[in-house]
Amino acid sequence: MNNQKENTASACSSTTQKPTSSSLQTDILSYLSTHDELNTWTYANEHKIDHQLVIGTIRSIQSIGDIIKIEQHTNRSIAPSDEGKLLLQNGSYEYNLFQAIPADKGIEQPELMKFPNATIGFAKAMSSGWLQVDKSSKPAIVKRKVENVHDEVQNLLKRIQSLELQDASVKEVVELKKRKLVEDVIVNYFIVTKSSEFSTNIAKGEAELTAEMLQTGSWKTLNFKQYNFNAKGMMPSHGCLHPLLKVRTEYRQIFLEMGFTEMPTNNYVENSFWNFDALFTPQKHPARDVQDTFFLSDPAVTTTFPEDYLEKIKKVHSTGAFGSIGYQYEWAREEAQKNVFRTHTTAVSTRMLYKLAQEKIFKPVKYFSIDKVFRNENLDATHLAEFHQIEGLVADYNLTLGDLIGILYEFFRKLGMTKLRFKPAYNPYTEPSMEIFSYHEGLQRWIEVGNSGMFRPEMLLPMGFSEDISVIAWGLSLERPTMILYGIDNIRDLIGPKVDLEMCRQNPICRVIPAKIEE
Amino acid sequence: MPNIGIKRSLLFKELGQKYTDKEFDQLCFDFGIELDDIEPIPESNGEDVEYKIDIPANRYDILCLEGLSRALKIFLQKGELPKFTLSNQKLIRMKILPNTQRIRPIVVGAVLRNITFNADSYNSFIKLQDKLHQNLCRNRTLVAIGTHDLDTIKPPFIYDAREPKQIKFRSLNQQKEMQADEMLEFYSKDSHLKRYVSIIQESDVYPVIYDSNNVVLSLPPIINGDHSKMSVNTKNVFIECTAVDLHKANVVLNIMLTMFAQYCSKPFEIEPVEVEQVDGTVTVYPNLDDRVENVSVKKINKRIGIEVDAKTAATLLTRMSLRTKVIDPDTLRIEIPVTRADILHFCDIAEDCAVAYGFNNIHKTVPKTVCIGNQFELNRVSDLIRHSVAEAGFIEALTFTLCSCADVAEKFGKTIESIPAVHIGNPKTQDFQIGRTTLLPGLLKTIANNQGTALPIQLFEVSDVILKDLTRETGSRNERRLCAVFYNKTPGFETIHGLLDRIMTLVKVSYNENKSGNQGYYLNNQCEDTAFFPGRHAQVIANGGNIGIIGVLHPNVIEQFGLKLPCSILEINIEPFV
C-alpha cells in the first residue's frame, strides 16, 4: 500500500480542453440523455477533462433539483507515476538513447553515456536487442542493431493513462511498476444516472428573489433555482439558559401551581443554632462534625439570638421539655454560636416557622424553596460540596402522616411519578420520617427520590406553636432528578466550570410532564 | 447511617425461617432498615452470604445480630421482648478518684456471669463495641468501652487519672511494657488507634483503671491491658464504660448488657457494679428499669391519620418492642425498655405504631390547607433578568459558590485581606477556602475549560455572592449579582456595554447624561481596579449608588485564569432593581 496514492484529481494531467462549467453541464446532460449512466472518471479521461471539474459540474446540476442521481464508488487502479508522466511526454530513456545513435556509423560509447538517463536507457536498449557494441576499436563504438524501434514503454504508459489498460497484473505493467513508472492509486468517482426531473434543458435560474424583481415585476417571468432542503439551515445567534436551572424553573412552577409560597433563602451563611439546635439536632450529632459541615473561621460566630427561644431550645435538648425527655447532655451556647455554610434549606424553613409562630393569629402556610446547600463532602461523580435542595412544607392544624403521603403523591405526580412507596427512616427533626421511593420504568427498579416527615414537637413547641399544629415537610435534591432526566453520570458535567457550553446550547426545552390523574 | 454485616445463615436460624433475598429486602423496607448489599462469604463455598444492612442512626439496639434478630422476631410476632433482671449478690465496687474529673469524669460498669460464647457470638460482641464506638460514642470521645476477663483481675477496681510517666503496663497484644506517654506515641502510628490518641494526649493526666493488685485494666479511651484480655472462652465479663456524658455511658452499657446477657447461664440476668463517686456517694449500675408512658390512642390516630382501636394499637406497638397494655379504650400504658433509648417523645411512639401499621397501608389524604402561592420577589426579578440576558445572546453558566482565596484576590492582583470574604475554617481542599465575593472567577474558569468553542464566547450568571457584613446577624449576607463576560479576539467592550444599556432599559433606569444626582445610570471612570486594563473600566452608577463594574480585563488576569484572548466583563448587583 505504501506506494499507493490518494488520487482523485491529478491523475489526468494531460488535460487539453478547459470547457466552461455551463458548456460541460450541457455536454454531460446530453451524454446522459443517450446513455444509461455516466462514469465521471471514464468521462473525464475520454474527454480529457479534469476529473474534479466533472464532479463539480455534476454537483451543481444536482443542486438545481431532482435531475440526476449520483452514487459514489471507489476503485483501485494504476496510473503513471511522476517519472512515468515525464516518459509519457518525452519518450522512454531507451527509445531516446536509440534515436541518439546515428543510424550509419554509431557513436563512441563514452560519448553516448553522456545523454540524460543513459545508464538505464542503455541497459534497457541492450536487453531489448536494439544495440550492438563494437569493442574492437578503442573506445568502443555503439551501433544500432535494428533499423527501427517502437517505444513500447511510452505506448504502455499511454494506454494506462487512458484507462485502456488497468490490470496491474499484466506482465508489462508489473515491469513498469518495478521501474517505478507506474503506481497504485485509489480513485473516487461517481456513477451518474437520470432522475425523475431529468431534462437536457435546465436553466440555472435565479438564486434569490430580490427587492428589484418585486419592483419591476420581473419575478413573474424569471426561473428560480430550487432550494436544497436537504442541507441544514443557518443557526440563529442565540443565548441559552443553564440545563439545571431550566429544571429548577419547572419545579418552582410546580410548587407555585400547588399554592406554595417561596421562602427567602438568600443567606448561605447560617449559625449552628438555626441550622442544627433549633432543629433538635444534638450538639454531638455527626452532621455537626468538621468532617461534614463547613464551619466559618471568619466571621466565626453569631452572638445575637432570640433569647427566650434559645432558653427553650437549651432545655428541650439538655433536660427535656414539651413532653420530651430530651437528649440529656450539657447544651453549650458556644456550639450554637458557630457559623456554618448552611447544610440544608430547612434552616430557612425553621426561621420562617419561628416567625410564623410569633404571629398573634396562626394562619396555615405552604412554603417552598429551591436553593444551594453545602456539605464538606469528599467529591466524586455524584457528590459536590454544594448542591440544590428542594423543600416543601405545610403547616396547619391536625395534619397527619396520611396528609403527608397524600401531598407527596400530588407533588410527585406533577413530576410524572405515580408509583411511590415509603420506608421508615430516621432524621433528628422529623418523626415519623419517611424515605420516598419511586419506581423508575426506565431503570426498572425503585429509586430513592426524597425524604420527608412531620417536624418533631421538640422543634415546633419551643417556637410557640400550639400542640394541635403540625408541620409536614419533604425535601429532595435538584441535581439527582436532573441527572436522571438528562442521563448524565458525572455531576461535574452539569455544574461548575467543566460544563460543556455546546451541551448547554443543544439542551432542549425542559418539560417535566405530569402523570395523568387516576380516576 | 451505620452499616452492619450479618451472616444470612445465622440470621435466618434466629428468625426460625428462611427468606429469599427479595423477601428479606421487603421485610427490611417495612421495618425501616435497608438491605444495602449482599456479599459472598468465600469460606462457605457459596452456602452462605453476608447481609450488609443499613441501620437508622438512633437504633443502637439493632446494631448486632442478637438485637436485630430479636427485634425482627418481635415485629413478626414470633417472639417476645425479654425481661432483663439484676442478680442480687455482693456487688463489685469501682472507686472514682478525684483526678479523673479533670479529664474523663464518668465510669459505669457491670458484669455478665457464666457466659458462653462461640466464635460467631464472640465476633458479634467485638463488632458491636466497634459500631458503638464509631456512632453513639463519637469515636470514643464521649464514651469508651472496655471489656475484661473478670477471672484474671481482682476487684475492687480503681478509676484514676495519673501522670503518663506513672502509668506503665503491657497493652493488648503487645510483648513488652510501655510507659503511657511512650504508648501514645506508639499508637499514634497505629492505623486503627491513631485517631483516638488526640483525645487525651495533651492532658497532664491520663485516665486509667487498676484492680486491687495494681494491674492495669485499661487506659481509656485508647487501649486495654493485655492481662485482662478476653477470649471466646471467657466465662465472666467485666464491662466498664468511661465517659464525659453520663446518659450516653448508660445507654452504651445497657446495650452491651442487654444484647449479650442472652448467652449467660441465667439468660438476661445481669450483675450490677457499684461505683463510688468522688464525693463518696455510691451509685449502682446498670439501671434497667423500663420507662412507663401513658399515651392516648386518639392522639396516635390523629397524628398518623389512621383509625385503630386500643387493642390493635397495643398489638402494633408490642410488635415494635414496646410492651403495651390497654388501660381503657383511649389509654395505653407503654413500658419503654432501656434498649429503646431512641424513644424521646410521644411522637416516637406514634411513629412506631405507624411503622407496624405499615406506612404504605395508611390511607392517603390531601391536606385541606388552602393558600395562595407567591414568588420570592428577588427570585422573580432574577429569573426575568436571566431570560433577558439569554435573549441577548449570552449562555448561562452555573458555577460554584465556594472558591479559593486566590480566585478572588491574587488572580486579580489583590490581597485577600482587602476583600470582604467569609472564610471556611475546615476546608478539605484549597478549592473551597471562602465564599465567592464575585461571580467572575467562575465564569472565567468556565471559559478556560471551553476554549475550543466558537468565538466569541458570551457567558453570564445570575447568582449570589457572599459578603462579610458585621451589621447582619451571622456577620455576612448574600448579594444577588449579574455577571456577564465577552471573550473574543478583541475585547468587545461595546457588546458588554450594550448589554448594560439593554438591562437598564429593561429595569426602566434611563441614561443620565449629567453623571450626577440620584436618577438614572452612568459610568464613572474615576476609579482604580487592578483587575482591569488601565483606563478601560468604570463603576456602574445607578440611581446614585455604585452597583458594580464594567471594563476590559487586565492581561495579567487573562493569564492567571489560563485564557488567551481579550475579555470584557460586567458585574452588577441587581438587588436595587427589585
Side-chain angles (χ1 to χ4, degrees):
Chain A
M1 286 294 280
N2 49 6
N3 61 345
Q4 271 187 3
K5 197 155 102 183
E6 182 81 15
N7 189 336
T8 52
S10 60
C12 200
S13 65
S14 59
T15 304
T16 51
Q17 299 172 3
K18 293 249 180 219
T20 63
S21 182
S22 70
S23 77
L24 181 57
Q25 194 169 312
T26 316
D27 292 349
I28 287 174
L29 288 169
S30 64
Y31 180 96
L32 268 173
S33 69
T34 54
H35 297 77
D36 286 339
E37 62 172 45
L38 180 150
N39 177 323
T40 56
W41 176 245
T42 323
Y43 186 89
N45 283 292
E46 276 173 6
H47 294 83
K48 301 199 187 316
I49 317 164
D50 184 84
H51 188 217
Q52 279 309 300
L53 183 64
V54 175
I55 291 174
T57 308
I58 295 288
R59 291 250 189 241
S60 84
I61 295 172
Q62 203 187 13
S63 74
I64 295 167
D66 193 15
I67 294 158
I68 49 168
K69 283 186 199 142
I70 66 170
E71 203 175 288
Q72 189 176 346
H73 290 265
T74 302
N75 202 7
R76 283 193 185 183
S77 183
I78 47 173
S81 67
D82 289 345
E83 191 182 2
K85 283 175 196 160
L86 285 174
L87 268 64
L88 192 61
Q89 269 183 347
N90 307 327
S92 67
Y93 305 134
E94 53 269 38
Y95 180 80
N96 292 339
L97 187 99
F98 182 85
Q99 297 300 344
I101 301 171
D104 43 357
K105 52 187 171 121
I107 188 168
E108 286 183 0
Q109 192 169 7
E111 207 53 40
L112 180 67
M113 296 318 275
K114 286 178 185 163
F115 279 90
N117 298 301
T119 317
I120 307 170
F122 182 76
K124 292 290 172 190
M126 281 301 287
S127 66
S128 301
W130 293 354
L131 308 177
Q132 57 186 10
V133 183
D134 180 1
K135 291 185 179 167
S136 60
S137 49
K138 287 272 173 188
I141 302 289
V142 180
K143 288 183 178 164
R144 294 188 180 185
K145 193 174 175 182
V146 293
E147 248 177 61
N148 247 322
V149 294
H150 293 287
D151 191 347
E152 265 313 307
V153 170
Q154 188 184 38
N155 209 19
L156 277 169
L157 285 169
K158 275 182 183 162
R159 287 173 61 207
I160 290 167
Q161 174 76 356
S162 67
L163 304 182
E164 190 185 316
L165 180 60
Q166 292 185 53
D167 187 352
S169 64
V170 174
K171 195 181 137 210
E172 291 84 353
V173 177
V174 173
E175 184 61 29
L176 290 186
K177 276 177 85 176
K178 273 189 197 154
R179 289 180 66 178
K180 294 200 163 52
L181 299 177
V182 167
E183 63 192 3
D184 292 324
V185 292
I186 292 172
V187 182
N188 290 315
Y189 65 97
F190 295 91
I191 299 293
V192 185
T193 53
K194 294 182 272 250
S195 191
S196 58
E197 290 168 23
F198 180 81
S199 156
T200 51
N201 181 21
I202 48 160
K204 195 185 169 202
E206 301 294 332
E208 286 298 353
L209 182 64
T210 65
E212 196 193 339
M213 290 172 192
L214 291 177
Q215 276 156 18
T216 61
S218 67
W219 64 272
K220 291 172 191 161
T221 52
L222 288 169
N223 278 331
F224 287 87
K225 213 171 151 181
Q226 286 215 6
Y227 276 172
N228 176 9
F229 291 99
N230 297 320
K232 281 207 164 181
M234 195 172 80
M235 189 60 65
S237 80
H238 67 282
C240 61
L241 297 174
H242 190 275
L244 183 87
L245 299 182
K246 293 201 288 200
V247 181
R248 183 180 74 176
T249 300
E250 287 288 286
Y251 278 70
R252 196 163 167 268
Q253 194 61 40
I254 287 168
F255 277 112
L256 292 168
E257 285 167 8
M258 291 174 73
F260 282 68
T261 287
E262 193 171 26
M263 292 186 276
T265 45
N266 56 333
N267 61 320
Y268 293 164
V269 174
E270 187 52 276
N271 52 56
S272 295
F273 179 78
W274 288 103
N275 195 78
F276 296 120
D277 294 286
L279 282 95
F280 199 51
T281 303
Q283 296 191 325
K284 291 291 184 186
H285 192 276
R288 304 180 70 156
D289 232 67
V290 290
Q291 291 305 314
D292 293 301
T293 297
F294 288 118
F295 286 90
L296 264 62
S297 57
D298 180 29
V301 294
T302 297
T303 50
T304 51
F305 298 99
E307 292 295 335
D308 288 356
Y309 178 47
L310 180 133
E311 278 307 314
K312 287 178 190 159
I313 293 294
K314 177 179 177 174
K315 195 154 180 247
V316 77
H317 276 249
S318 54
T319 60
F322 307 103
S324 172
I325 61 165
Y327 293 119
Q328 302 173 46
Y329 69 100
E330 275 186 42
W331 187 87
R333 187 188 177 95
E334 296 70 40
E335 204 56 47
Q337 286 184 325
K338 290 179 181 171
N339 283 335
V340 298
F341 266 97
R342 69 169 177 226
T343 61
H344 48 194
T345 49
T346 320
V348 177
S349 311
T350 308
R351 282 182 182 270
M352 293 297 285
L353 287 171
Y354 174 73
K355 225 169 113 184
L356 182 69
Q358 309 317 301
E359 301 286 334
K360 284 208 175 66
I361 299 160
F362 172 76
K363 251 175 77 184
V365 298
K366 297 201 266 190
Y367 286 149
F368 84 98
S369 66
I370 309 174
D371 209 343
K372 280 186 176 176
V373 297
F374 303 84
R375 306 274 167 93
N376 200 359
E377 295 248 22
N378 288 315
L379 311 188
D380 61 33
T382 52
H383 292 88
L384 291 174
E386 52 191 86
F387 62 94
H388 289 78
Q389 186 186 339
I390 302 167
E391 180 163 348
L393 69 85
V394 183
D396 201 349
Y397 293 104
N398 300 319
L399 292 171
T400 67
L401 191 61
D403 286 330
L404 174 59
I405 293 171
I407 202 161
L408 287 173
Y409 269 99
E410 291 301 318
F411 177 77
F412 282 97
R413 187 186 60 74
K414 289 263 190 190
L415 306 182
M417 300 177 214
T418 50
K419 274 174 96 176
L420 301 183
R421 60 176 192 164
F422 302 94
K423 175 177 162 288
Y426 167 67
N427 183 7
Y429 50 90
T430 53
E431 189 83 8
S433 310
M434 306 193 297
E435 280 172 10
I436 310 158
F437 287 75
S438 165
Y439 191 76
H440 193 282
E441 297 293 346
L443 302 172
Q444 292 280 302
R445 60 182 171 89
W446 290 93
I447 53 170
E448 195 192 327
V449 291
N451 264 297
S452 64
M454 303 180 74
F455 283 144
R456 291 190 72 102
E458 290 97 325
M459 174 176 166
L460 299 179
L461 298 179
M463 291 175 174
F465 284 115
S466 72
E467 272 197 53
D468 52 356
I469 291 169
S470 38
V471 180
I472 55 178
W474 68 98
L476 54 154
S477 90
L478 176 62
E479 280 75 0
R480 197 167 140 74
T482 303
M483 286 169 78
I484 294 171
L485 183 73
Y486 292 145
I488 290 173
D489 297 328
N490 188 337
I491 195 161
R492 280 164 280 205
D493 292 339
L494 187 64
I495 298 173
K498 290 191 176 143
V499 68
D500 177 6
L501 295 180
E502 204 45 45
M503 182 276 283
C504 295
R505 279 180 192 273
Q506 300 293 337
N507 185 261
I509 286 173
C510 174
R511 277 175 76 199
V512 174
I513 301 171
K516 289 207 176 72
I517 298 168
E518 285 172 49
E519 294 303 325
Chain B
M1 194 182 292
N3 183 287
I4 63 168
I6 286 183
K7 276 189 193 168
R8 184 174 64 187
S9 59
L10 294 175
L11 182 63
F12 289 176
K13 197 176 143 208
E14 286 296 321
L15 296 179
Q17 188 184 342
K18 283 189 176 162
Y19 293 85
T20 65
D21 292 340
K22 212 178 152 200
E23 285 164 351
F24 187 71
D25 182 58
Q26 183 63 45
L27 173 63
C28 288
F29 193 94
D30 294 337
F31 186 65
I33 56 181
E34 192 173 331
L35 180 56
D36 177 49
D37 205 0
I38 301 171
E39 285 183 2
I41 302 175
E43 309 87 82
S44 74
N45 293 320
E47 298 277 301
D48 204 358
V49 295
E50 190 172 62
Y51 277 165
K52 296 283 184 191
I53 302 173
D54 277 341
I55 306 290
N58 63 341
R59 290 299 300 270
Y60 317 112
D61 59 321
I62 52 174
L63 282 175
C64 61
L65 170 73
E66 290 72 13
L68 180 64
S69 59
R70 200 182 292 164
L72 285 176
K73 251 161 45 188
I74 297 168
F75 183 64
L76 296 165
Q77 293 177 293
K78 291 176 168 198
E80 279 185 13
L81 188 69
K83 258 286 179 209
F84 307 110
T85 55
L86 298 177
S87 63
N88 48 359
Q89 60 192 78
K90 190 174 178 324
L91 299 185
I92 289 174
R93 177 169 286 223
M94 230 182 151
K95 184 178 165 60
I96 303 179
L97 299 187
N99 261 352
T100 56
Q101 306 305 298
R102 290 158 54 190
I103 168 97
R104 202 172 177 86
I106 296 157
V107 69
V108 298
V111 173
L112 291 173
R113 281 280 172 199
N114 294 316
I115 198 164
T116 309
F117 285 117
N118 62 27
D120 286 319
S121 58
Y122 184 69
N123 187 28
S124 178
F125 182 78
I126 302 293
K127 275 187 352 194
L128 177 62
Q129 291 177 58
D130 274 348
K131 288 291 162 197
L132 289 169
H133 275 154
Q134 283 162 26
N135 298 291
L136 183 56
C137 306
R138 305 293 304 126
N139 285 318
R140 302 190 189 179
T141 53
L142 305 182
V143 187
I145 312 161
T147 55
H148 310 275
D149 185 339
L150 183 59
D151 298 329
T152 64
I153 43 182
K154 190 166 177 289
F157 304 120
I158 304 288
Y159 178 42
D160 196 4
R162 297 184 186 173
E163 284 175 26
K165 288 189 193 317
Q166 292 173 352
I167 306 167
K168 195 174 187 189
F169 68 104
R170 193 152 66 83
S171 59
L172 198 62
N173 299 330
Q174 292 304 315
Q175 297 309 312
K176 59 176 204 281
E177 288 195 344
M178 273 184 276
Q179 216 165 263
D181 48 349
E182 296 163 3
M183 196 176 285
L184 259 61
E185 207 51 50
F186 176 78
Y187 285 119
S188 68
K189 292 175 192 79
D190 183 287
S191 64
H192 175 59
L193 294 174
K194 65 178 176 200
R195 73 189 104 152
Y196 308 123
V197 166
S198 64
I199 303 173
I200 58 166
Q201 196 168 28
E202 296 307 309
S203 170
D204 57 342
V205 289
Y206 292 172
V208 60
I209 300 176
Y210 288 95
D211 80 348
S212 51
N213 289 333
N214 234 13
V215 170
V216 172
L217 273 63
S218 61
L219 182 77
I222 314 295
I223 189 83
N224 284 355
D226 194 67
H227 184 92
S228 56
K229 180 164 74 178
M230 278 186 62
S231 77
V232 67
N233 299 316
T234 298
K235 297 310 292 178
N236 298 299
V237 183
F238 173 60
I239 303 174
E240 39 87 1
C241 301
T242 57
V244 297
D245 179 323
L246 178 62
H247 177 68
K248 286 200 169 64
N250 273 316
V251 173
V252 169
L253 178 67
N254 292 347
I255 293 292
M256 288 301 297
L257 296 170
T258 53
M259 294 300 113
F260 289 94
Q262 75 181 61
Y263 299 122
C264 293
S265 62
K266 286 185 189 160
F268 303 110
E269 189 185 86
I270 290 147
E271 180 183 317
V273 163
E274 55 185 24
V275 176
E276 185 184 329
Q277 307 293 341
V278 174
D279 63 7
T281 58
V282 174
T283 325
V284 176
Y285 296 100
N287 178 356
L288 297 178
D289 294 345
D290 293 336
R291 186 154 62 85
V292 179
E293 295 272 356
N294 284 350
V295 304
S296 152
V297 180
K298 212 170 102 194
K299 251 178 94 180
I300 294 178
N301 282 332
K302 216 171 126 188
R303 184 159 179 94
I304 305 304
I306 51 176
E307 278 299 328
V308 294
D309 59 19
K311 194 164 161 269
T312 313
T315 310
L316 292 172
L317 288 168
T318 304
R319 285 178 54 204
M320 300 305 289
S321 302
L322 300 173
R323 218 177 267 117
T324 307
K325 279 190 201 122
V326 178
I327 303 295
D328 63 49
D330 186 43
T331 313
L332 302 176
R333 186 183 148 89
I334 298 170
E335 295 168 7
I336 303 163
V338 288
T339 44
R340 293 299 307 276
D342 59 299
I343 305 273
L344 307 178
H345 189 276
F346 158 77
C347 69
D348 297 296
I349 295 167
E351 183 195 49
D352 269 11
C353 190
V355 171
Y357 186 88
F359 282 2
N360 298 294
N361 298 325
I362 295 170
H363 178 66
K364 57 178 197 268
T365 47
V366 179
K368 292 171 188 65
T369 315
V370 177
C371 295
I372 307 295
N374 282 303
Q375 302 186 46
F376 178 43
E377 204 53 34
L378 177 60
N379 289 356
R380 187 220 296 268
V381 171
S382 299
D383 275 358
L384 292 170
I385 290 178
R386 285 173 57 228
H387 281 271
S388 300
V389 179
E391 281 161 9
F394 285 71
I395 300 177
E396 186 176 36
L398 177 59
T399 64
F400 296 138
T401 302
L402 305 180
C403 63
S404 71
C405 293
D407 284 343
V408 301
E410 285 88 341
K411 288 181 183 175
F412 291 102
K414 300 175 184 180
T415 60
I416 189 67
E417 291 74 22
S418 69
I419 290 171
V422 300
H423 290 252
I424 293 172
N426 57 330
K428 270 189 189 149
T429 79
Q430 293 298 93
D431 293 340
F432 305 132
Q433 293 174 306
I434 56 167
R436 65 180 170 200
T437 53
T438 154
L439 300 178
L440 188 54
L443 293 186
L444 296 180
K445 285 183 194 177
T446 307
I447 294 177
N449 280 296
N450 279 279
Q451 297 200 64
T453 309
L455 293 171
I457 299 177
Q458 304 184 163
L459 270 192
F460 82 101
E461 183 167 9
V462 174
S463 235
D464 285 356
V465 299
I466 304 142
L467 303 173
K468 201 166 144 177
D469 180 348
L470 296 178
T471 66
R472 300 300 182 99
E473 190 184 321
T474 58
S476 73
R477 66 181 161 89
N478 284 21
E479 185 174 286
R480 187 72 44 95
R481 297 260 181 97
L482 159 67
C483 184
V485 298
F486 181 88
Y487 180 76
N488 201 3
K489 288 179 177 156
T490 55
F493 180 76
E494 64 286 358
T495 305
I496 281 294
H497 193 181
L499 179 68
L500 174 67
D501 294 335
R502 172 75 185 143
I503 297 295
M504 290 300 141
T505 306
L506 292 170
V507 297
K508 293 196 280 189
V509 177
S510 54
Y511 186 66
N512 177 340
E513 286 177 19
N514 301 328
K515 292 191 159 212
S516 65
N518 290 332
Q519 295 296 314
Y521 77 100
Y522 62 90
L523 300 184
N524 167 32
N525 61 349
Q526 301 301 308
C527 62
E528 290 294 324
D529 195 323
T530 51
F532 293 92
F533 201 85
R536 302 235 160 144
H537 68 281
Q539 288 171 340
V540 180
I541 311 293
N543 296 335
N546 175 8
I547 61 161
I549 197 141
I550 187 167
V552 176
L553 286 183
H554 196 283
N556 291 344
V557 176
I558 307 259
E559 193 192 332
Q560 285 288 325
F561 281 93
L563 300 176
K564 296 183 178 70
L565 301 177
C567 187
S568 56
I569 74 105
L570 166 71
E571 182 165 17
I572 55 169
N573 174 7
I574 62 168
E575 292 184 11
F577 308 116
V578 175

